[in-house]
Amino acid sequence: CYDYAWRVALTPLVDDSDVVLMDLRGFSRANTGCVFEIEQLAALVPLAKVIFLVDARTDDALLRETLASAAARLGPDSPNSDMATRGVRVFRAGKLGAAMVRRLLAELSAATA
């Protein structure tokens, strides 16, 4: 979808969600839209309810940098206003076979509790 459409749709989607799974497999500096989404999730959703799906191609340093930057700009009414990137759930995926999917579903279930 176009840049303006998904940015407008993001807030209502996360408001109505019990848990958020963000696919960051292959995340790199080329993914500026993902940076916006991470910032919005940090501002709007308790990060204990967010799971970031990563893999060997994910730029882990960039993810940490993006989360730290988002934490530095949080407003006092954010559910993560005292965030120091703690409570962040990262699920490192290899090949998404049946066992990996079961583990991911268990993580998603735990995040709703």
Side-chain angles (χ1 to χ4, degrees):
C1 58
Y2 293 103
D3 188 44
Y4 63 87
W6 68 265
R7 287 181 185 240
V8 172
L10 181 64
T11 301
L13 283 172
V14 298
D15 284 345
D16 289 338
S17 300
D18 294 323
V19 66
V20 175
L21 174 64
M22 184 169 184
D23 186 352
L24 291 175
R25 292 174 294 170
F27 176 60
S28 72
R29 296 211 181 268
N31 305 107
T32 57
C34 289
V35 170
F36 172 80
E37 287 181 36
I38 293 167
E39 290 170 346
Q40 292 301 299
L41 289 173
L44 301 170
V45 180
L47 286 178
K49 295 184 177 266
V50 177
I51 297 175
F52 296 107
L53 178 65
V54 301
D55 65 4
R57 299 170 300 129
T58 301
D59 185 336
D60 293 327
L62 177 59
L63 177 55
R64 285 189 303 275
E65 174 186 315
T66 303
L67 286 165
S69 177
R73 291 194 306 279
L74 291 176
D77 49 336
S78 167
N80 302 302
S81 60
D82 62 348
M83 178 183 125
T85 67
R86 70 180 188 290
V88 173
R89 293 175 181 255
V90 176
F91 186 89
R92 187 158 301 276
K95 183 180 176 192
L96 285 178
M100 184 75 65
V101 170
R102 279 193 297 275
R103 281 187 37 233
L104 179 56
L105 289 172
E107 285 288 322
L108 290 165
S109 179
T112 62

